[in-house]
Amino acid sequence: MKKNIIITLLLAVALSSCGEYNKLLKSTNYEYKYEAAKNYFAKGKYNRAATLLNELITILKGTDKAEESLYMLAMSYYNQKDYSTAAQTFITYCNTYPRGTFAELASYYAGKALYLDTPEARLDQSGTYTAIQQLQKFMEYYPGSSHKQDAQQMIFDLQDKLVLKDFLAAKLYYDLGNYLGNNYESAVITAQNALKDYPYTHHREELSILILRAKHEMAQNSIEEKKQERFRETVDEYYAFKNEFPNSKHIKEAGKIFDSASKEIKD
């Protein structure tokens, strides 16, 4: 106890200046460094805490301080918004200490760090799939966690990002029209697959009106043998849209498409 009090008093003086911090980096008193790292962490000086903890992780391996050190290092990266490194460190903690004191929090923050590190919808979404997998793993391992609802919301957000990417792809096909092929059909297929995979997405209405637009364009640009069938499909799509979104901001546009398609259908 007396020894710990002395260390604490020394830290109060040593950590007050940049010069003393540089001396601390060169020190071989690892217990002193460990307490200093904890002190920096508690004060929100995460960069300094991470620098010290990075050195101590290997040295403290096998001791009673190793587990806490690894978790603090992960949190230091997280609080510096280095989410990629934080996620990797949290996952390392989970693999090393699956029943550890901080296992639940480490699993949760691994998922949250991956969530915060995901790219915008236009870019490759492999990181988004990884984040979803980690969050689902957290919910499976800790079904009673107080963070469960937050994790579920993050999964919904990430799924919406995947749907948005599909929507942007479908819209691109639609905008390309008949350039180098029937891109309207590709727009329909891409949008329909997105709705099938994520039926509760917030982008459902936008995907649905895009399908209606694309089917109408496809019908108008079809060869004579296929026009009637495709105009009928357009009318069917209109009714499906109207039934699901009767108050849609696109309802007038949908009505115009219906009128146009209906006039083309021969009894």
Side-chain angles (χ1 to χ4, degrees):
M1 178 65 72
K2 184 176 180 180
K3 183 179 180 182
N4 289 336
I5 292 174
I6 293 173
I7 291 175
T8 301
L9 290 172
L10 289 172
L11 282 171
V13 177
L15 301 184
S16 62
S17 70
C18 186
E20 290 299 329
Y21 171 70
N22 291 330
K23 290 180 182 179
L24 181 64
L25 291 175
K26 300 175 183 179
S27 174
T28 57
N29 186 335
Y30 299 116
E31 183 176 356
Y32 183 56
K33 277 189 172 182
Y34 172 72
E35 293 299 328
K38 289 182 66 175
N39 192 290
Y40 282 130
F41 184 85
K43 291 182 176 180
K45 297 181 179 181
Y46 301 114
N47 183 47
R48 290 188 174 188
T51 300
L52 294 173
L53 289 167
N54 251 318
E55 178 188 357
L56 293 170
I57 290 300
T58 303
I59 296 168
L60 296 175
K61 190 174 182 179
T63 71
D64 59 350
K65 298 180 177 64
E67 181 184 343
E68 184 182 32
S69 295
L70 187 56
Y71 180 73
M72 281 196 299
L73 177 60
M75 285 302 302
S76 293
Y77 287 133
Y78 179 86
N79 287 318
Q80 292 180 85
K81 299 184 179 182
D82 183 354
Y83 297 123
S84 177
T85 308
Q88 294 172 10
T89 310
F90 281 126
I91 291 171
T92 298
Y93 176 96
C94 291
N95 293 335
T96 307
Y97 306 103
R99 299 180 183 277
T101 304
F102 309 102
E104 179 182 332
L105 285 173
S107 180
Y108 166 73
Y109 277 111
K112 189 168 184 178
L114 289 169
Y115 165 81
L116 292 169
D117 198 45
T118 53
E120 63 175 279
R122 296 179 184 276
L123 303 177
D124 176 71
Q125 293 299 304
S126 56
T128 300
Y129 287 107
T130 301
I132 290 174
Q133 290 171 356
Q134 176 59 41
L135 289 165
Q136 288 175 332
K137 183 177 180 180
F138 163 73
M139 292 179 64
E140 179 184 347
Y141 283 12
Y142 305 100
S145 174
S146 60
H147 296 291
K148 180 180 179 180
Q149 187 174 353
D150 187 34
Q152 184 65 74
Q153 185 58 55
M154 284 190 281
I155 290 174
F156 289 150
D157 292 345
L158 293 170
Q159 289 175 339
D160 261 359
K161 183 176 285 191
L162 296 176
V163 177
L164 179 57
K165 183 174 180 62
D166 286 342
F167 170 73
L168 293 172
K171 189 175 184 302
L172 177 60
Y173 283 128
Y174 178 83
D175 292 340
L176 287 171
N178 289 316
Y179 179 72
L180 297 179
N182 184 1
N183 293 296
Y184 294 121
E185 185 174 16
S186 297
V188 170
I189 292 171
T190 302
Q192 286 178 333
N193 285 339
L195 289 174
K196 181 181 178 181
D197 292 339
Y198 306 102
Y200 304 109
T201 175
H202 295 152
H203 301 290
R204 186 172 181 85
E205 182 179 341
E206 294 304 317
L207 285 163
S208 298
I209 190 62
L210 184 62
I211 292 171
L212 178 58
R213 291 169 185 156
K215 283 194 172 185
H216 185 228
E217 291 289 345
M218 190 160 56
Q220 289 181 316
N221 290 277
S222 293
I223 58 175
E224 288 300 322
E225 288 81 357
K226 293 185 177 182
K227 278 184 180 291
Q228 290 299 300
E229 177 188 355
R230 288 180 173 172
F231 277 122
R232 287 190 175 91
E233 288 179 358
T234 301
V235 169
D236 290 342
E237 194 67 39
Y238 162 77
Y239 283 121
F241 181 85
K242 182 182 178 182
N243 288 336
E244 186 170 1
F245 308 102
N247 300 314
S248 172
K249 63 182 180 181
H250 302 294
I251 201 66
K252 288 185 179 180
E253 177 190 356
K256 290 179 181 179
I257 291 174
F258 169 76
D259 291 340
S260 174
S262 298
K263 291 176 182 177
E264 299 294 336
I265 297 174
K266 300 175 183 178
D267 295 332

